[in-house]
Amino acid sequence: MTQFGDLLVLSEEEYYWSDFFFSTLATLLGFGLTVLIWFSGKRSRRGRYRSRFVVTNGLFLLLLLLFCLSRFGYILNFSLFISRGYDGHLDLLAEFSSLGVLLIIYVFLNFWSSIRFLYKTKYAFFLSVILIGFISFFINKTTAIDRNIVNNYYFSGLQNRFDYINQEIEKATDKGVLFSDSTRIILRKKYSERTVHMVRKLKSDFQSSKAITLDWLVIQKILIHNLNFPELDFSRSNAQRWPYPTASELRKQWCLQEANSIERQLLFEILQEEIQLLNKPQFGHEYHEKQWTPYEMEMDMRRRVLVRDMEQVLEGFLQLREEIAPC
């Protein structure tokens, strides 16, 4: 699913709540099946019709509950979470925790109303609350999935990407530029709404007549190296389709910055990144026989989509590198 969207990494509070919800719900489903088996036995004529009603109502509740869970799970996982641009728009803990608690309470009380329909329960109701809570806690502690295994495997495939981000941020920190944790998170993602907005904002800033600050130049270099770009419109010309600053836009910024400044040094590094990106490798035997990692395959595929028919753009960058001089 991460081929279409960024990996959804929940907070510790959301992990704990989801484990509690599903362990409690699994316990209640087992309790409901026990009630159905209990009331499915042979009974006298007097209690037969009530037993049938309890069984029918219980089966309807179980099927309805499974249908709702599968429906919501399908919509969230396969339609929203993996969609391009999803950037945590839903706060699962704040917006759905109350619904989960109310669902658990409803299922529990519904099954107990069926039991009280035929029997006097007395203290059995309160005893079942304690027993279900204990079993839910036991299931939560013994059968919970270690998500760190999945997260570490995913992050290991993007280790080069994250290391480059940390490296450039450390260099910027030495120069007196500080970045927030949210900026690091945005830079780590590929398809999120904030990441795409950052690429488009920088493109607009380079097209303007204002000098770009040092922190945004660092971000621009990271975005180019990690191939963060929005969906391309192939109906436009090559220069208009290029999501990063063109040679003319870099030349304009070069003239706006002070001579021998750190900003000019970063502009030259951005130029080098774009030239390196547009220089296609030779398709010899060494290229085809290379053992590609999943990360390298993805980056190579994204680069090929981006640099298609960009020869004129590359010529502009090469010419700029040769003629860069004070304006």
Side-chain angles (χ1 to χ4, degrees), residues 2-176:
T2 54
Q3 293 180 356
F4 307 98
D6 295 298
L7 180 69
L8 178 65
V9 181
L10 302 178
S11 62
E12 291 297 328
E13 293 78 10
E14 290 172 331
Y15 279 145
Y16 180 80
W17 181 86
S18 62
D19 289 340
F20 164 77
F21 172 75
F22 285 106
S23 61
T24 307
L25 191 62
T27 306
L28 288 177
L29 289 177
F31 174 68
L33 289 175
T34 303
V35 173
L36 293 182
I37 295 173
W38 179 20
F39 282 91
S40 297
K42 294 183 179 180
R43 297 188 180 276
S44 62
R45 175 185 290 265
R46 183 177 179 181
R48 184 181 304 169
Y49 297 106
R50 292 187 177 184
S51 298
R52 288 180 180 177
F53 170 77
V54 171
V55 172
T56 303
N57 180 69
L59 284 175
F60 173 76
L61 179 62
L62 288 176
L63 293 176
L64 180 63
L65 183 61
L66 293 175
F67 172 78
C68 292
L69 289 176
S70 61
R71 185 66 174 173
F72 276 101
Y74 176 82
I75 293 175
L76 293 177
N77 289 318
F78 294 95
S79 300
L80 180 62
F81 292 155
I82 67 171
S83 61
R84 289 180 181 269
Y86 179 75
D87 196 11
H89 298 88
L90 288 180
D91 190 342
L92 300 179
L93 187 62
E95 300 178 11
F96 291 93
S97 58
S98 300
L99 177 62
V101 173
L102 290 175
L103 182 62
I104 290 173
I105 295 175
Y106 170 75
V107 173
F108 178 72
L109 294 179
N110 186 283
F111 283 125
W112 258 109
S113 65
S114 301
I115 298 175
R116 298 188 60 171
F117 192 57
L118 289 173
Y119 298 98
K120 295 181 179 180
T121 57
K122 293 186 178 180
Y123 301 106
F125 175 83
F126 301 101
L127 181 62
S128 66
V129 173
I130 299 174
L131 186 61
I132 289 176
F134 174 77
I135 296 176
S136 301
F137 179 79
F138 179 77
I139 293 176
N140 185 19
K141 292 299 182 181
T142 57
T143 62
I145 299 175
D146 188 2
R147 300 176 183 83
N148 291 327
I149 298 176
V150 179
N151 293 341
N152 293 335
Y153 176 78
Y154 176 76
F155 289 140
S156 64
L158 299 174
Q159 191 66 41
N160 295 333
R161 181 190 188 94
F162 297 158
D163 288 345
Y164 184 82
I165 295 174
N166 296 332
Q167 174 186 342
E168 293 300 319
I169 289 180
E170 288 178 2
K171 290 181 181 179
T173 303
D174 296 337
K175 299 173 183 178

Side-chain angles (χ1 to χ4, degrees), residues 277-295:
L277 175 62
L278 286 167
N279 274 326
K280 296 182 180 179
Q282 298 294 328
F283 298 100
H285 294 288
E286 297 180 356
Y287 180 82
H288 293 286
E289 294 175 358
K290 179 181 178 181
Q291 297 295 327
W292 295 88
T293 63
Y295 170 76

